[in-house]
Amino acid sequence: MKLSQDLQSILLELATLERSQAHGGTPTIPEQEEYEKAQAAHARLLDASGSAQLAVDDMEMEILRIQADERKLRQRERDDKAQLGAATDPETRKDLEHDLYAAKSRIADLMSELQEAHNEIHALRANLDVHGAKVSDSERKLEVLKRAAEAAQEAAANRPDPQVRIGELREQLPADIVAEYETVREENGVGAAAFTGRACGGCFIVLPPAEQNAVRNAAADELPQCSDCGSYLVRPAS
Ligand SMILES: [Zn+2]
């Protein structure tokens, strides 16, 4: 098929545009996808941070419980001592001394539990701080990605409708050329493709050397066909 070189580039743009349209309607916006991925990662960070906060809260409750128990035991210790000061009956004194010993021993246990809890809450708060820093960092990144996604979406919305451009391109081409192109496109879904110098841009087959030469040496207004898929091969304008 013969077509002047300036119209060859029109045909190639038409074929490329129609091929990209055929591959699944609305093109995805990479910025939007990246933003959505970051949102999911951020949600996971928030979950982890929430768990870290819960662990701190639990340990604070534990410390309050230990301190409340300690206050009760100290009171019992004081009561026992006061009663011992007044008691004369040996049985009563024995019971009071026994109770005093139990209270002191339990207080000692609680003090060691409290020490342990303080060590743990220190580590848990440090962990919570790390999570907090990660969340802040992620929030900043999310904000940047959100703006990029919005800008990309706006750009996509402002892009001219490909169908309009396809109509314009078709009008610039002779009717018999469009008909030829359509015939091949119906067969192979491509119609016309760029020739890379070695391969067909339609089926991506590297042509045999003799055919490569034939394509390269064809007249400038000639559109050779790929021997594999039949697409019209458009050479880069020299
Ligand atoms: Zn081909």
Side-chain angles (χ1 to χ4, degrees), residues 158-175:
N158 290 334
R159 212 167 287 145
D161 182 351
Q163 291 307 324
V164 173
R165 180 66 183 153
I166 285 170
E168 286 171 0
L169 292 166
R170 279 172 179 270
E171 275 172 27
Q172 293 177 56
L173 293 166

Side-chain angles (χ1 to χ4, degrees), residues 188 190 193-194 199-207 211 225-233:
N188 69 7
V190 177
C200 163
C203 61
F204 304 108
I205 291 278
V206 175
L207 303 178
E211 196 183 336
Q225 282 179 276
C226 166
S227 62
D228 199 73
C229 71
S231 293
Y232 288 106
L233 295 171

Side-chain angles (χ1 to χ4, degrees), residues 28-235:
T28 55
I29 299 170
E31 289 87 347
Q32 179 64 26
E33 284 182 347
E34 203 185 335
Y35 176 48
E36 281 164 17
K37 267 188 215 160
Q39 277 180 310
H42 187 70
R44 287 193 294 275
L45 271 182
L46 286 178
D47 266 0
S49 179
S51 301
Q53 179 66 61
L54 273 181
V56 168
D57 293 349
D58 284 351
M59 193 49 68
E60 278 171 353
M61 291 294 291
E62 176 70 3
I63 287 172
L64 290 177
R65 183 196 62 77
I66 294 171
Q67 288 169 337
D69 283 359
E70 185 202 349
R71 274 194 300 278
K72 279 184 222 151
L73 285 162
R74 297 246 185 243
Q75 185 58 51
R76 194 168 121 195
E77 193 182 15
R78 280 193 296 277
D79 290 348
D80 286 344
K81 280 178 180 167
Q83 286 180 55
L84 267 174
T88 50
D89 175 51
E91 255 332 284
T92 310
R93 290 192 64 85
K94 200 178 153 198
D95 285 350
L96 285 169
E97 268 161 7
H98 182 79
D99 195 67
L100 183 60
Y101 175 81
K104 280 182 169 167
S105 154
R106 182 72 191 116
I107 287 170
D109 285 349
L110 282 179
M111 289 302 90
S112 108
E113 274 180 47
L114 192 62
Q115 184 57 49
E116 211 171 293
H118 275 133
N119 290 343
E120 275 186 49
I121 202 158
H122 184 75
L124 289 171
R125 282 187 181 133
N127 182 49
L128 182 60
D129 286 349
V130 169
H131 277 92
K134 278 187 194 167
V135 167
S136 309
D137 192 38
S138 169
E139 272 166 0
R140 278 192 298 276
K141 281 183 190 157
L142 212 52
E143 189 54 39
V144 172
L145 290 174
K146 184 183 174 202
R147 281 198 294 270
E150 282 168 355
Q153 268 176 330
E154 206 182 313
N158 290 334
R159 212 167 287 145
D161 182 351
Q163 291 307 324
V164 173
R165 180 66 183 153
I166 285 170
E168 286 171 0
L169 292 166
R170 279 172 179 270
E171 275 172 27
Q172 293 177 56
L173 293 166
D176 57 329
I177 295 291
V178 173
E180 284 281 344
Y181 154 73
E182 279 299 344
T183 304
V184 177
R185 191 167 84 96
E186 270 165 33
E187 281 167 15
N188 69 7
V190 177
F195 176 65
T196 65
R198 295 175 64 229
C200 163
C203 61
F204 304 108
I205 291 278
V206 175
L207 303 178
E211 196 183 336
Q212 289 177 23
N213 276 331
V215 172
R216 272 195 291 268
N217 297 328
D221 65 347
E222 180 64 32
L223 284 176
Q225 282 179 276
C226 166
S227 62
D228 199 73
C229 71
S231 293
Y232 288 106
L233 295 171
V234 178
R235 287 158 288 169

